[in-house]
Amino acid sequence: MSNDALIARLRDQVGKDAVLTDVDVLAGYSRDMMPLAPSGKPVAVVLPSDVEGVQATVRACAEAKVPIVPRGAGSGLSGAANAVDGCVVLVLTKLDKIVEIDEGNRLAVVQPGVVNLDLRNAVQQHGLFYPPDPSSYDWCTIGGNLSTNAGGLCCVKYGVTTDSVLGLEVVLADGSLLKTGRRTVKGVAGYDLARLFVGSEGTLGVITQATVALKPLPQAPATLVAGFNTTEAAGEAVARVVREGLVPSLLEIMDASSIKASETYLNTDLGAGSDCRALLLAQSDAGGEVARRELAVLEQICNDCGADLAYATEDLEEGKMLLQARRVVLTALETYGVWLTDDVCVPRTRIAELISGCERISEEVGLRIAVVGHAGDGNMHPTIVYQPDDPDEFARAHKAFDAILDVGLSLGGTVTGEHGIGKIKREWLAREIGPVGLRVHRQIKQALDPDNLFNPGSMFSLA
């Protein structure tokens, strides 16, 4: 089947307006937010509005031997949604219905195009809470969150996306619809196929619906900020929190470079002082006296570890102001140039070593590197700043990106905590999981997608 014949069939079966071929439009859908990842030129962009449209697209592309790259909002940071030459980009944003909110069983059924924040707001009206909260939660979609197993600031207490998934509906490579999982609290019938597809980055099938677990709406958070004159002291505080079994709803860390960028951008003083090398931000959503006790213990730990500043507040606006310094870091760094954010996760006792390693890499490549991250689970985001019109700086930024991954692995960590492998970390996945792990990945891919239809070349190669 020629490309023209494929496009004609897609327009007939999915709808004329749902199949886009304009060159500028194709370019706009060809890549996500990761500048280092390669991207190709698709032959068409298809935006179905229902699961039948997804199935028709998959069947048509399978017959034409044309690869499919599933895509959500494009907020990803690994190149997982980047087009390959000659593919069809299958965009799921029009499947945007919240099908059901079941208050009694604390679950929701949603389509992949639902924006994360919209789901949060909808279930909040029922006194419920959807925990996964990526930084792009105001525009990223549930489908993209599922495909990359996204995390966020609340992971320390509530886990990543897969921890909220009960079941999925997935269109397979032959166009059939697989229904996985359950609506019950418990269930161990057969393989856990839902978890197999979560984090598979569109390489095994197209997720068209998810059943997700909800939590009771937490109490308004109380907030703590603590400043340290060494990263080692901040790292020891994090280790103490873990050892003593505390589980705050949020525990974030900022290094000196990120603190300075945020203070400059917000035109405010966080009160940490000029000698502050690391800032911890913590929250408790337990409410009332329980939250006060939790923050009191956190504050004592920080003081015992040598904090120059340790301050707790139950004032919501003050807490939002303190947390804003963490949330605006990437925007603040844009005043210095274009940012390239990495995503490594290390044992929580080794966070300080990772930050020190990033400081060394920064000196070696001559570029600004700011480190922020989810200290509660060890997921760090070293962010490299460079000038995009300077080829030498771009090359040094790429070198720094890889050097950070190397440090993360050397500390017993993983090359991605929540952004995924995509098309930028394929060789690093192979290095992390080893030849046997890579063989098993390829065998699963071959079993479910024998013609390599879905997102070829992402995560790993077939040979």
Side-chain angles (χ1 to χ4, degrees):
M1 187 187 303
S2 68
N3 287 340
D4 288 343
L6 172 63
I7 290 169
R9 175 174 169 177
L10 289 171
R11 284 177 171 159
D12 178 59
Q13 295 186 350
V14 186
K16 181 179 179 181
D17 294 338
V19 182
L20 311 177
T21 57
D22 179 84
V23 174
D24 292 335
V25 173
L26 296 182
Y29 283 98
S30 67
R31 62 178 308 111
D32 65 13
M33 301 289 289
M34 167 49 73
L36 296 182
S39 63
K41 297 179 180 178
V43 298
V45 171
V46 181
L47 296 96
S49 56
D50 53 34
V51 66
E52 291 78 15
V54 176
Q55 291 176 288
T57 302
V58 169
R59 291 189 180 109
C61 289
E63 289 184 26
K65 306 298 184 186
V66 170
I68 293 172
V69 177
R71 176 188 170 95
S75 63
L77 291 163
S78 70
N82 284 14
V84 296
D85 286 336
C87 78
V88 164
V89 176
L90 179 57
V91 184
L92 283 304
T93 51
K94 287 190 176 180
L95 278 77
D96 59 357
K97 296 182 178 62
I98 298 175
V99 178
E100 178 187 0
I101 298 173
D102 183 340
E103 297 177 49
N105 290 301
R106 293 213 304 256
L107 62 82
V109 180
V110 297
Q111 292 185 321
V114 174
V115 171
N116 183 291
L117 182 59
D118 290 345
L119 176 59
R120 282 189 149 215
N121 289 339
V123 301
Q124 183 175 333
Q125 303 305 311
H126 299 266
L128 297 169
F129 172 55
Y130 179 65
D133 66 334
S135 295
S136 55
Y137 72 114
D138 56 344
W139 67 289
C140 67
T141 58
I142 297 298
N145 296 168
L146 292 164
S147 292
T148 58
N149 199 7
L153 274 65
C154 293
C155 291
V156 58
K157 183 173 183 178
Y158 296 107
V160 294
T161 296
T162 191
D163 296 305
S164 294
V165 174
L166 295 173
L168 299 175
E169 290 188 2
V170 184
V171 174
L172 300 179
D174 62 357
S176 60
L177 186 65
L178 170 69
K179 297 184 179 182
T180 76
R182 63 199 190 279
R183 292 172 65 100
T184 55
V185 175
K186 296 173 66 178
V188 294
Y191 295 138
D192 192 347
L193 296 179
R195 286 179 181 261
L196 175 63
F197 285 97
V198 175
S200 65
E201 300 181 17
T203 62
L204 301 178
V206 183
I207 296 170
T208 54
Q209 187 169 281
T211 301
V212 296
L214 306 174
K215 301 285 187 182
L217 191 66
Q219 299 294 311
T223 306
L224 175 139
V225 59
F228 301 83
N229 59 18
T230 69
T231 54
E232 290 75 16
E236 175 57 26
V238 173
R240 283 273 306 275
V241 169
V242 174
R243 284 198 301 269
E244 297 195 17
L246 294 175
V247 187
S249 57
L250 177 149
L251 183 60
E252 298 289 297
I253 192 168
M254 300 171 64
D255 74 345
S257 184
S258 56
I259 295 167
K260 181 179 178 181
S262 289
E263 286 186 332
T264 302
Y265 179 77
L266 295 172
N267 192 28
T268 188
D269 183 355
L270 295 176
S274 59
D275 294 330
C276 183
R277 303 296 302 171
L279 198 70
L280 287 183
L281 289 160
Q283 285 190 331
S284 171
D285 62 6
E289 186 58 33
V290 175
R292 283 189 286 273
R293 287 199 304 269
E294 192 168 51
L295 287 193
V297 175
L298 284 166
E299 186 174 359
Q300 186 62 54
I301 288 172
C302 291
N303 286 325
D304 290 346
C305 292
D308 294 325
L309 159 78
Y311 172 70
T313 178
E314 294 181 63
D315 184 274
L316 281 180
E317 291 306 312
E318 193 173 18
K320 287 179 182 178
M321 182 193 71
L322 292 170
L323 195 57
Q324 186 184 21
R326 163 64 181 91
R327 291 193 181 275
V328 303
V329 169
L330 292 182
T331 303
L333 290 172
E334 289 177 353
T335 61
Y336 303 105
V338 170
W339 53 261
L340 171 63
T341 190
D342 219 324
D343 167 44
V344 294
C345 192
V346 297
R348 290 169 289 187
T349 55
R350 310 199 75 174
I351 290 172
E353 293 174 77
L354 178 69
I355 294 175
S356 297
C358 291
E359 291 174 350
R360 184 187 71 252
I361 294 167
S362 176
E363 293 176 0
E364 290 173 354
V365 301
L367 295 174
R368 182 191 302 267
I369 299 179
V371 183
V372 295
H374 316 311
D377 57 28
N379 191 184
M380 297 291 104
H381 297 302
T383 301
I384 307 149
V385 182
Y386 67 99
Q387 298 302 321
D389 54 355
D390 185 330
D392 178 62
E393 284 208 6
F394 182 79
R396 283 185 279 144
H398 199 164
K399 179 181 178 182
F401 186 89
D402 284 343
I404 291 167
L405 295 177
D406 192 40
V407 170
L409 281 183
S410 73
L411 295 173
T414 174
V415 296
T416 177
E418 58 187 5
H419 293 169
I421 296 295
K423 296 178 177 67
I424 191 60
K425 295 181 180 178
R426 290 180 300 183
E427 67 275 20
W428 290 98
L429 175 67
R431 179 173 166 181
E432 179 175 329
I433 67 176
V436 175
L438 191 58
R439 185 191 74 207
V440 172
H441 275 67
R442 287 169 173 163
Q443 289 172 332
I444 292 171
K445 171 75 167 173
Q446 178 67 25
L448 290 174
D449 184 17
D451 294 324
N452 199 20
L453 176 69
F454 293 127
N455 213 359
S458 197
M459 293 185 75
F460 54 90
S461 65
L462 290 183

